[in-house]
């Protein structure tokens, strides 16, 4: 059986300094055996909400676009993307350097890094649902469609795990 730490916190006033490992240890000693502690937010590290401020054609590639994206930092960043449904003002899912994504939803996860794509700098990746474990939340209509968060209460820089309620242990 899986038990949500957020649910436990609704009923028990836990000390702020207690770790999930300590809770598992205490539960094992006093009541039931805890086999594992799983942080559901872990796979969403460095995956945040971004707001597209500008979209322009890539100068060296017909199917790519250069986007200026607000990721909740002091300055917006430039990201090169091949998504088919990009528009200014759109809220999207952005994998920042260090995030692990499944490229086009296939194969093993790869780490996102700052890079250049056909001569243009790209700080991260604007993602499709299957690339960041969100296809059950946002089923894509086409392979090149990125997650459009229109109509969802969110803000630039917000971690996706918090947005979808997966910020739990």
């Amino acid at each position: 059986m899986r038990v949500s730490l957020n649910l436990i916190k609704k009923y028990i006033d836990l000390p702020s300094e207690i770790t999930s490992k300590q809770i598992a240890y205490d539960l094992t000693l006093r009541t039931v055996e805890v086999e594992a502690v799983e942080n559901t937010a872990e796979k969403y590290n460095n995956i945040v909400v971004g707001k597209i401020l500008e979209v322009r054609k890539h100068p060296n590639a017909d199917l790519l676009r250069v986007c200026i994206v607000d990721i909740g930092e002091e300055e917006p960043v430039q990201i090169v993307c091949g998504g088919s449904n990009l528009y200014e003002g759109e809220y999207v899912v952005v994998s920042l350097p260090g995030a692990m994504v499944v490229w086009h939803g296939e194969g093993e996860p790869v780490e996102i890094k700052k890079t250049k794509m056909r001569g243009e700098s790209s700080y991260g990746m604007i993602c499709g649902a299957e690339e960041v474990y969100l296809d059950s939340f946002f089923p894509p209509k086409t392979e090149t469609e990125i997650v459009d968060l229109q109509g969802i209460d969110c803000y630039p820089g917000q971690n996706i795990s918090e947005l979808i309620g997966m910020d739990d242990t």
Side-chain angles (χ1 to χ4, degrees):
M1 172 187 353
R2 292 182 177 205
V3 179
S4 162
L5 183 56
N6 288 345
L7 180 65
I8 291 172
K9 287 178 181 179
K10 283 184 179 182
Y11 298 101
I12 300 171
D13 194 19
L14 295 172
S16 60
E17 68 278 355
I18 195 166
T19 66
S20 55
K21 285 185 179 184
Q22 184 63 47
I23 293 168
Y25 178 78
D26 291 347
L27 282 171
T28 299
L29 282 183
R30 292 177 177 89
T31 58
V32 296
E33 181 180 349
V34 176
E35 289 183 27
V37 176
E38 177 186 348
N39 180 344
T40 58
E42 214 167 65
K43 68 181 173 184
Y44 301 105
N45 282 342
N46 294 321
I47 301 176
V48 300
V49 173
K51 181 180 181 184
I52 297 178
L53 304 175
E54 180 184 334
V55 179
R56 65 180 186 270
K57 185 180 176 334
H58 192 294
N60 303 315
D62 292 336
L63 299 177
L64 296 176
R65 295 194 201 120
V66 178
C67 301
I68 304 300
V69 184
D70 177 358
I71 57 167
E73 300 292 325
E74 196 172 301
E75 296 289 325
V77 296
Q78 177 172 293
I79 299 175
V80 176
C81 182
S84 61
N85 58 323
L86 300 170
Y87 59 89
E88 290 179 9
E90 180 177 22
Y91 285 83
V92 295
V93 176
V94 177
S95 291
L96 303 175
M100 300 298 287
V101 302
V102 179
W103 193 256
H104 295 288
E106 298 176 8
E108 294 297 314
V110 295
E111 184 178 347
I112 294 298
K113 298 177 181 176
K114 289 187 211 178
T115 189
K116 280 195 174 196
M117 295 180 72
R118 299 221 176 157
E120 292 290 322
S121 296
S122 187
Y123 184 85
M125 176 180 169
I126 299 174
C127 299
E130 69 283 350
E131 295 170 322
V132 287
Y133 322 103
L134 296 175
D135 39 337
S136 62
F137 295 95
F138 307 101
K141 295 177 188 109
T142 68
E143 185 180 311
T144 59
E145 181 181 79
I146 54 99
V147 177
D148 185 345
L149 298 172
Q150 181 179 8
I152 296 173
D153 186 24
C154 59
Y155 56 89
Q158 181 179 19
N159 189 281
I160 290 299
S161 66
E162 177 187 327
L163 183 68
I164 62 171
M166 295 294 283
D167 56 336
D168 200 356
T169 300

